[in-house]
Amino acid sequence: MRNGTRRPRLRLSRFDSLLLGYDAYHLVDQLMTQPLQVILAGRIGNTGSYESGMRLWKLAPTPVDLMVIDGAGHYEMYDEPEYLDAAVDRLVDFYLNNL
């Protein structure tokens, strides 16, 4: 604040192209060299997590196991015992076989 007036923060336009062209997956094939386990909630919501998980699975060079938990929503995967237990059981098997 200068002289009691508020100025809006200005975004530098030279970074716009970086923001608009950002792709979180462009290095997946180079960086994800270890076995990959993906566990997704089967009920597609508005978080984009199902789509992101499937995209990661399709791009990964070493996918090992994909689990889609039918009926679960993204946030329910954190605290609903039915869904959480299924995911943990699958992860235990994955870790035992791939670490």
Side-chain angles (χ1 to χ4, degrees):
M1 210 150 73
R2 183 184 292 177
N3 298 333
T5 61
R6 302 187 104 199
R7 292 185 183 188
R9 296 183 188 266
L10 300 176
R11 186 183 72 226
L12 298 176
S13 61
R14 67 178 176 216
F15 295 114
D16 284 356
S17 63
L18 294 175
L19 293 173
L20 296 174
Y22 179 73
D23 178 10
Y25 304 95
H26 78 284
L27 293 175
V28 166
D29 61 332
Q30 297 169 42
L31 297 177
M32 299 206 66
T33 59
Q34 300 299 315
L36 176 66
Q37 162 76 59
V38 175
I39 299 177
L40 301 171
R43 194 176 73 238
I44 300 172
N46 59 3
T47 63
S49 60
Y50 180 86
E51 294 82 359
S52 292
M54 290 305 290
R55 184 168 180 201
L56 177 63
W57 176 255
K58 290 174 183 174
L59 293 173
T62 56
V64 171
D65 188 39
L66 171 67
M67 178 183 195
V68 178
I69 300 180
D70 292 328
H74 174 76
Y75 296 109
E76 294 165 337
M77 294 288 290
Y78 295 103
D79 58 10
E80 292 290 329
E82 171 187 0
Y83 306 132
L84 186 59
D85 292 346
V88 169
D89 290 345
R90 191 71 162 259
L91 283 169
V92 167
D93 289 339
F94 176 77
Y95 291 144
L96 288 174
N97 294 315
N98 294 285
L99 289 183

